Amino acid sequence: MDKAIIIRNLFLLKNKYLKYLSAILLVPIFFYIANVLFFSSFFDYEIKLWSSVGIWFSSCVIVSYIYIYDIFSIFRRDSFIAKSPVSVFKILLSAIFFAIIIGFLELLVSYFMISFLSGSSLSFIHFSSIFFSVLPVILLFSAIGMIVNFYDNQNIGLYIVSIVCVSFIQFSQVLVSLKDSSVYFPIYNVIKNIGDYVLIPGSDFKFLPLFTMYSISLIFLVVAFYFCIKKIGRVYDR
């Protein structure tokens, strides 16, 4: 990866470290309060525990989406793409790479935070399986964010993504009653798969839902890269 691209991404994190630190710490807490504590009198312990699965997914997606929006906004504002000798593909790839890093940091924080609040703990293998299950969802929404960024100057997409993420948590809350049922929507299927694996003793990890989700995410990424390269080529004559 080109040094100039790395510096540009790190420059964003340095200038907005308070924003990202606040998002990484507060997003999982907000989701926990709004979706679990607020309804604590209606939920038993098992439902609260399953809610953590949705919160892990949601927190990572939102923070990564915020980063994608911010870095693309800077690229457009200071004409970095137009001035840089680095290929557009490498610039886009760097944004995805740093979005994954931000998502991983968010997963670490939300995992330990929610585990502490819910009084549960998981093994390293379980945590690794969570990360590799969250990763394709991060890639999917990052790809969507890359495309939407060209038309969304007010970051309205973040509100839509937030609503979708709330549905992840609400879905995870009903997984208690769906333990033996099939789920056909790919993202929810991945959430159910990891929920079954880490929270139900003796459950096996299913690779088909994960393979399906990775396939969809990679398709979206290819489309997003193609769209962005063409769009940037027309705007900046590259």
Side-chain angles (χ1 to χ4, degrees):
M1 192 177 298
D2 191 90
K3 183 179 179 180
I5 305 177
I6 296 176
I7 293 175
R8 203 70 193 89
N9 282 271
L10 293 177
F11 184 75
L12 167 63
L13 295 176
K14 177 184 177 182
N15 282 356
K16 298 190 176 184
Y17 74 94
L18 284 178
K19 174 182 178 178
Y20 287 102
L21 183 61
S22 299
I24 289 174
L25 294 175
L26 296 180
V27 168
I29 293 179
F30 172 78
F31 277 137
Y32 187 81
I33 293 175
N35 294 276
V36 180
L37 288 186
F38 190 74
F39 299 101
S40 59
S41 58
F42 303 101
F43 292 166
D44 58 26
Y45 173 75
E46 192 174 12
I47 294 180
K48 293 178 183 178
L49 191 61
W50 280 82
S51 299
S52 61
V53 178
I55 294 174
W56 294 331
F57 276 80
S58 301
S59 301
C60 296
V61 166
I62 286 182
V63 175
S64 298
Y65 186 90
I66 292 174
Y67 180 81
I68 287 293
Y69 182 88
D70 285 346
I71 193 65
F72 268 73
S73 297
I74 288 179
F75 284 163
R76 288 185 303 167
R77 187 168 61 247
D78 63 6
S79 300
F80 175 82
I81 294 178
K83 300 174 183 177
S84 176
V86 183
S87 67
V88 177
F89 176 80
K90 289 183 178 179
I91 294 175
L92 299 177
L93 192 62
S94 72
I96 295 296
F97 176 75
F98 276 88
I100 293 173
I101 292 178
I102 294 294
F104 177 72
L105 292 176
E106 177 59 82
L107 180 61
L108 278 175
V109 172
S110 62
Y111 167 75
F112 287 109
M113 189 177 295
I114 302 304
S115 295
F116 173 78
L117 293 173
S118 62
S120 62
S121 61
L122 300 174
S123 67
F124 175 77
I125 294 177
H126 282 157
F127 177 82
S128 300
S129 65
I130 293 170
F131 171 71
F132 286 109
S133 297
V134 170
L135 179 57
V137 183
I138 291 176
L139 294 176
L140 173 63
F141 281 90
S142 295
I144 294 173
M146 290 167 62
I147 297 175
V148 171
N149 189 271
F150 285 99
Y151 308 99
D152 184 14
N153 294 325
Q154 303 301 320
N155 204 7
I156 297 175
L158 178 61
Y159 297 100
I160 299 175
V161 170
S162 299
I163 293 173
V164 174
C165 287
V166 169
S167 75
F168 295 167
I169 302 173
Q170 293 175 342
F171 172 75
S172 65
Q173 291 171 351
V174 303
L175 285 178
V176 176
S177 59
L178 295 176
K179 293 177 182 177
D180 299 319
S181 303
S182 299
V183 179
Y184 299 103
F185 194 75
I187 296 179
Y188 295 132
N189 201 9
V190 169
I191 296 174
K192 182 180 185 301
N193 182 48
I194 197 64
D196 290 343
Y197 179 62
V198 302
L199 298 179
I200 300 179
S203 295
D204 295 325
F205 185 83
K206 300 175 183 177
F207 288 94
L208 181 57
L210 197 60
F211 175 78
T212 302
M213 193 65 238
Y214 270 105
S215 299
I216 294 173
S217 299
L218 290 176
I219 291 173
F220 269 80
L221 270 179
V222 170
V223 172
F225 270 60
Y226 179 81
F227 173 85
C228 291
I229 290 174
K230 290 295 183 180
K231 182 76 173 179
I232 291 169
R234 289 196 297 269
V235 174
Y236 297 104
D237 193 24
R238 291 198 58 176

